[in-house]
Amino acid sequence: MRIFFFCILLIISVFFAKAQNSIDRIIATIGKEIILQSDLEMAYAEYASQFAVKDEDDDEKCAVFEHLVYTKLMLHQADVDSIVISDAQLEAAINWRMNQFLQLAGGDSRVIEKHFGKSMAEIRKDIREPVRDQMYVEEVQDKITTNISITPSEVKAFANKVGADSMPVIPATFEFGHILKIPPVSEVEIAEIKDRLENYREQALRDDNPKNRFSTLARLYSDDPGSASKGGELGFVERGVLYPEFEAVAFNLKSGEISHAVKTKAGYHIILLHERRGESIKVSHILIQPKPSAEEQVKAIEYLDSVKQVILDKKMDFSNAALEFSDDPNKLSGGWVIHPYSLSTKFDQESLDQATFNTLNKLIPEEYSSPIIYIDEDGVLAYRLIYLKSKVAPHKANLTEDYDVIKNAALEEKKNIAIEKWIKNKVKVTSIKLDEKYKSCDFVIRWQIN
């Protein structure tokens, strides 16, 4: 896990190192690739901050330097192999990494913006090149390890080598499914929302300073918790980040123009365009999310109660009931909730919101919750039944309960050995020059770099 966070930090820290140092020196060349002293200093500073390293440690610094040299060696190989990363692949990778940052910050973008002193849109732009480099590294790694597999006997040998006492502790994990019911919103409610937004638009346009008035209205009335406190500002955003319906309107506005109501998954917006730079726009918006009436919410609860009774009466199993009755667009999984990053059905406490964890923690396997309120990632209000399939208490990893975890660790070790062997062969035919100060680092000897 520490290495995972370390790699994420290096993706962004190296960029800022280059941006903040105009006078620098080269401390390594690997083929056509170079490493600057500032690259190492900034990467090490981020590493030390993240892992509470108080005093400068030569071994830790060598470990950071090793990662930088390794990355450049992989980039050199990507160039030799003429590997191509498409813009679509890059955008998907940037979206994933931005979500990782948000997850590490507990979903609060302000924590990330405060740490780097930049808006989320600026960070997104700044990490574009480092993320592309990381993708090249991963492509080369995949080429080296693509044919590597592992047998059950190798998994068992790996577990015996590690030893039961040294196995990591697996946190409590849950497997669960849900049946979702989204209460409908009346046409009257939608019409009222559109009228309100049209009124806000007219108020702003009538004002001597439309942008200031728009900002005030956003602070007072917008349902977007991330931007309302900033007067609705989203900053500069590249095409492909926001909802397609939102972008279709926003990119066609003129500077200072305010749109009419636009519908997205999140609700209804009016959009103010501040500025456009190529495929990036600086915009503000006011969002109003439709809310179902109390009567419709009661109907949703009663509906789920009736579905629960159908299952308890054994007239239908959970998965079939989910396929038949759930409003979840992902119900083709049979109602099972899938982790968005690991694509596994297993969740630990850290990957669950507090309300869901509290519900699961009170259930026993094969038990159903009562209908509970649920707000999806777009802010849509719904209700859901939760079914707990399995619950595993915290424990030391073992082959019986955690075979896949141990298998993955064993496979990763085997891949690392293959990559280490590849590196030793590669450095023999690659022009590598290192600053004298770092030639005593362990990896220089281990990789047999002249």
Side-chain angles (χ1 to χ4, degrees):
M1 184 62 72
R2 180 163 169 150
I3 293 298
F4 172 73
F5 289 132
F6 179 32
C7 292
I8 287 181
L9 287 169
L10 286 180
I11 288 172
I12 193 166
S13 64
V14 170
F15 174 86
F16 288 130
K18 291 180 179 179
Q20 294 171 3
N21 289 271
S22 55
I23 301 175
D24 217 335
R25 68 188 183 92
I26 296 172
I27 59 173
T29 60
I30 300 93
K32 298 177 182 178
E33 304 290 333
I34 66 169
I35 299 172
L36 302 176
Q37 181 69 44
S38 60
D39 294 341
L40 176 58
E41 295 302 330
M42 192 61 159
Y44 181 75
E46 286 287 352
Y47 175 86
S49 173
Q50 179 70 19
F51 301 116
V53 179
K54 295 181 180 179
D55 301 317
E56 185 165 308
D57 184 291
D58 288 342
D59 289 339
E60 297 272 14
K61 200 161 195 177
C62 277
V64 175
F65 188 45
E66 175 183 344
H67 183 83
L68 294 176
V69 173
Y70 170 80
T71 299
K72 296 299 184 180
L73 185 63
M74 292 292 177
L75 290 175
H76 168 73
Q77 187 62 36
D79 183 53
V80 170
D81 292 343
S82 301
I83 292 173
V84 175
I85 302 295
S86 70
D87 287 341
Q89 289 174 303
L90 179 58
E91 288 302 322
I94 291 173
N95 289 340
W96 186 87
R97 282 166 173 80
M98 294 300 287
N99 285 333
Q100 288 294 314
F101 290 146
L102 281 169
Q103 189 177 33
L104 290 172
D108 190 345
S109 61
R110 292 171 297 183
V111 173
I112 302 169
E113 291 175 335
K114 183 178 180 181
H115 178 76
F116 291 113
K118 292 173 177 281
S119 70
M120 291 294 284
E122 289 171 323
I123 294 171
R124 183 184 178 86
K125 180 180 179 181
D126 289 346
I127 69 171
R128 188 177 182 85
E129 181 182 340
V131 168
R132 189 191 293 272
D133 287 350
Q134 184 65 21
M135 293 179 73
Y136 281 126
V137 171
E138 290 167 0
E139 286 287 330
V140 176
Q141 288 173 335
D142 287 344
K143 288 187 71 173
I144 297 168
T145 62
T146 188
N147 293 320
I148 294 177
S149 59
I150 197 157
T151 65
S153 60
E154 287 176 310
V155 176
K156 186 175 180 180
F158 174 82
N160 290 336
K161 180 180 72 173
V162 173
D165 292 340
S166 300
M167 282 288 180
V169 173
I170 305 296
T173 56
F174 306 87
E175 285 185 282
F176 69 101
H178 70 188
I179 296 175
L180 199 69
K181 182 62 180 174
I182 302 173
V185 177
S186 70
E187 292 299 324
V188 173
E189 166 78 358
I190 292 171
E192 288 178 354
I193 287 172
K194 290 179 178 178
D195 286 344
R196 283 174 61 193
L197 288 172
E198 191 63 31
N199 179 263
Y200 298 154
R201 178 178 182 272
E202 291 174 0
Q203 284 187 52
L205 292 174
R206 286 197 303 265
D207 198 274
D208 292 337
N209 193 325
K211 291 183 179 180
N212 280 354
R213 183 60 179 166
F214 191 96
S215 176
T216 300
L217 292 167
R219 291 175 192 275
L220 290 172
Y221 303 115
S222 181
D223 287 334
D224 180 5
S227 69
S229 61
K230 303 173 186 176
E233 274 204 35
L234 299 175
F236 271 101
V237 185
E238 292 185 359
R239 191 188 290 274
V241 176
L242 303 171
Y243 293 107
E245 306 92 336
F246 188 105
E247 290 187 351
V249 174
F251 274 90
N252 284 307
L253 293 174
K254 297 176 182 177
S255 180
E257 190 176 1
I258 302 173
S259 75
H260 295 284
V262 179
K263 181 184 178 182
T264 70
K265 288 182 180 179
Y268 292 83
H269 320 246
I270 53 172
I271 307 164
L272 166 63
L273 179 69
H274 295 277
E275 183 182 351
R276 178 171 178 176
R277 297 178 185 172
E279 292 300 284
S280 296
I281 50 173
K282 183 179 181 181
V283 292
S284 296
H285 78 138
I286 297 174
L287 167 68
I288 299 181
Q289 294 176 315
K291 296 175 179 62
S293 66
E295 182 183 1
E296 290 295 345
Q297 293 185 51
V298 170
K299 286 182 181 178
I301 293 170
E302 291 173 345
Y303 178 87
L304 290 175
D305 276 330
S306 66
V307 172
K308 180 179 178 180
Q309 196 58 51
V310 166
I311 299 170
L312 294 177
D313 290 343
K314 301 189 183 305
K315 295 177 181 177
M316 190 176 288
D317 65 18
F318 169 77
S319 288
N320 284 327
L323 289 169
E324 181 75 21
F325 302 115
S326 182
D327 289 340
D328 186 351
N330 299 315
K331 65 182 180 181
L332 293 179
S333 67
W336 306 117
V337 179
I338 309 297
H339 196 295
Y341 303 117
S342 68
L343 301 181
S344 165
T345 57
K346 294 183 178 180
F347 292 77
D348 58 23
Q349 182 176 354
E350 290 186 359
S351 57
L352 295 166
D353 64 87
Q354 193 62 45
T356 302
F357 172 75
N358 290 342
T359 300
L360 291 170
N361 211 33
K362 293 174 184 177
L363 297 174
I364 61 174
E366 300 186 11
E367 188 179 13
Y368 293 84
S369 73
S370 298
I372 56 175
I373 196 166
Y374 174 68
I375 308 296
D376 73 8
E377 61 185 10
D378 296 310
V380 176
L381 185 149
Y383 286 84
R384 65 175 176 173
L385 281 178
I386 289 182
Y387 170 64
L388 179 59
K389 181 181 180 182
S390 69
K391 179 192 295 186
V392 180
H395 62 280
K396 287 267 191 179
N398 62 78
L399 285 170
T400 303
E401 295 177 293
D402 311 293
Y403 181 83
D404 286 344
V405 173
I406 297 173
K407 177 185 175 182
N408 289 338
L411 181 60
E412 196 63 30
E413 181 184 69
K414 193 172 182 180
K415 288 182 176 181
N416 287 338
I417 291 170
I419 290 173
E420 189 87 356
K421 182 179 179 180
W422 179 88
I423 290 172
K424 287 180 180 179
N425 290 326
K426 192 65 187 175
V427 297
K428 294 175 184 177
V429 294
T430 304
S431 174
I432 299 177
K433 296 179 182 179
L434 304 178
D435 190 284
E436 288 291 336
K437 183 178 179 180
Y438 302 104
K439 286 185 177 179
S440 60
C441 285
D442 172 71
F443 77 91
V444 178
I445 300 166
R446 193 174 76 249
W447 293 348
Q448 300 169 11
I449 299 175
N450 290 326

